[in-house]
Every structure is written in structure tokens, then in C-alpha cells.
């Protein structure tokens, strides 16, 4: 079994508002001690909120689990010590602050180990290509690719509606195909 196969996700309890500081501090400690193979990844899951105030649209990020940081690591005395003694950390989530790994279902539900859709989809178009929308509300419209985001398998395209009115859309890659 390789080290990455043994690493599991754990939840760290932090002071509220210190999640990103804890993440940065642990990442720095890991790098300084060359422990990237033991403490492999940290995450502070966020969601985007669209707020409309005074007719203006603002996109804000909100922590999904305020007061918590997630860490993928192999529990050793040293890794436990680094995390537990980081300023802002109150302990691991588990009985007596002993780390309890998240179940595979919990990891899936949080999207921590999700494969990027681009690894499944073959991207056969590039920026500037003409594409046809093959699914969704704008099915059968044609447009031009403006931006490709392989991380979440989306594309931004420009279509023309009602004659010459330009409309920007963000679609999943699976909803379009290259024309010609």
C-alpha cells in the first residue's frame, strides 16, 4: 500500500474565522518539514453566493463548514502534533479530540475526492470554435467558445438571440459539440 492510499480525510475544529489561517499555517509547516507525503492536502470548502444589492450582482464565498478545516493525512505522532499544536486549532473531530477518518461516503458527499469531469470528457474544441448546444434550454443554438474551464468541465460561449442580441452562457461541456 502506498502512502497516498493510506492517507485519509479528517476534520479539524478551529476557532471560527480562523479556518484559512489554520490551513495556511499547516501548509507552511508541512512544507518546512518536508512532510508533503504525510499531510497531503488541506481544504476549507466554500460555496459561491450571488447577492443582489441595489440592482448590482455580487458573488461572495461562504464557508460551508464554518469553524472546520479538512485535512488529508496519515496519522503519525508528528502529523498529529503539527495539526494539534497549530494556532487556532482546538482539536480533531472525534472522541477525546482523537482523529476519526471520514467515511468514503462522507468524502464523496463533500466532493473532496471527485474526479474532474475533464478527465472523463474528451475536449474536442478550443476557444474561438463554433459549437452547437445539444442539450438544455438553449438546445440547437450555435455559439462561439470564449472560455474553457476543464476543472469543472464547463465552457462559456457567446450566442446571438433575437437577431443581434449577444448572450453569454456557461454550460457543461457535455451540452455542446463542435460544428464542422
Amino acid at each position: 500500500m502506498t502512502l497516498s492510499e493510506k492517507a485519509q480525510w479528517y476534520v479539524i475544529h478551529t476557532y471560527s474565522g480562523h479556518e484559512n489561517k489554520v490551513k495556511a499555517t499547516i501548509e507552511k509547516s508541512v512544507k518546512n518539514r518536508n512532510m508533503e507525503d504525510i499531510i497531503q492536502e488541506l481544504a476549507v470548502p466554500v460555496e459561491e453566493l450571488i447577492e443582489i444589492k441595489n440592482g448590482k450582482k455580487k458573488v461572495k464565498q461562504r464557508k460551508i463548514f464554518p469553524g472546520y478545516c479538512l485535512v488529508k493525512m496519515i496519522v503519525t505522532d508528528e502529523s498529529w502534533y503539527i495539526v494539534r499544536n497549530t494556532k487556532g486549532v482546538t482539536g480533531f473531530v472525534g472522541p477525546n479530540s482523537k482523529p476519526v477518518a471520514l467515511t468514503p461516503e462522507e468524502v464523496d458527499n463533500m466532493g473532496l475526492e471527485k474526479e474532474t469531469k475533464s478527465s472523463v470528457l474528451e475536449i474536442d474544441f478550443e476557444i474561438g470554435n463554433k459549437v452547437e448546444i445539444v442539450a438544455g434550454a438553449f438546445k440547437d443554438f450555435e455559439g462561439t467558445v470564449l472560455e474553457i474551464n476543464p476543472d469543472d468541465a464547463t465552457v462559456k460561449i457567446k450566442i446571438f438571440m433575437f437577431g443581434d442580441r449577444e448572450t453569454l452562457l456557461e454550460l457543461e461541456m457535455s451540452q455542446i459539440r463542435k460544428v464542422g
Side-chain angles (χ1 to χ4, degrees):
M1 186 178 286
T2 66
L3 286 177
S4 66
E5 290 175 42
K6 290 172 64 176
Q8 293 184 289
W9 284 98
Y10 298 90
V11 180
I12 304 167
H13 190 258
T14 68
Y15 296 132
S16 190
H18 286 74
E19 303 87 354
N20 290 326
K21 288 179 199 161
V22 165
K23 178 180 183 278
T25 303
I26 294 173
E27 287 172 340
K28 189 175 179 183
S29 294
V30 167
K31 188 171 184 187
N32 289 341
R33 295 172 189 229
N34 292 321
M35 291 184 60
E36 290 90 348
D37 55 334
I38 303 293
I39 300 177
Q40 299 174 357
E41 195 175 340
L42 286 112
V44 178
V46 294
E47 62 185 349
E48 287 191 348
L49 294 176
I50 298 173
E51 231 177 54
I52 299 175
K53 277 189 178 177
N54 301 327
K56 295 190 188 218
K57 187 166 110 176
K58 280 188 176 180
V59 179
K60 289 187 170 188
Q61 288 192 334
R62 179 176 76 181
K63 292 177 185 81
I64 297 174
F65 308 112
Y68 296 95
C69 183
L70 306 169
V71 60
K72 183 177 184 180
M73 65 183 240
I74 299 167
V75 178
T76 64
D77 288 343
E78 191 177 6
S79 66
W80 189 88
Y81 179 86
I82 287 172
V83 172
R84 187 69 186 91
N85 290 293
T86 298
K87 186 176 180 182
V89 170
T90 60
F92 283 95
V93 172
N96 300 320
S97 286
K98 299 281 186 245
V100 174
L102 294 175
T103 66
E105 294 79 27
E106 290 168 329
V107 170
D108 285 345
N109 290 341
M110 291 182 185
L112 294 171
E113 295 285 323
K114 68 179 178 189
E115 284 186 35
T116 59
K117 294 179 187 173
S118 61
S119 63
V120 176
L121 289 173
E122 188 175 308
I123 303 171
D124 64 345
F125 48 83
E126 52 191 44
I127 293 173
N129 283 157
K130 296 281 184 211
V131 293
E132 178 185 3
I133 301 172
V134 295
F138 297 94
K139 187 177 189 294
D140 298 328
F141 276 86
E142 285 191 6
T144 305
V145 177
L146 300 176
E147 192 178 305
I148 300 172
N149 187 346
D151 292 334
D152 62 359
T154 61
V155 293
K156 288 187 180 170
I157 68 169
K158 169 177 62 176
I159 65 171
F160 289 95
M161 293 177 55
F162 311 116
D164 61 351
R165 183 167 173 243
E166 187 178 287
T167 303
L168 299 177
L169 301 174
E170 184 169 342
L171 302 170
E172 291 186 14
M173 287 183 191
S174 60
Q175 291 181 279
I176 65 170
R177 71 174 169 84
K178 188 175 175 181
V179 175

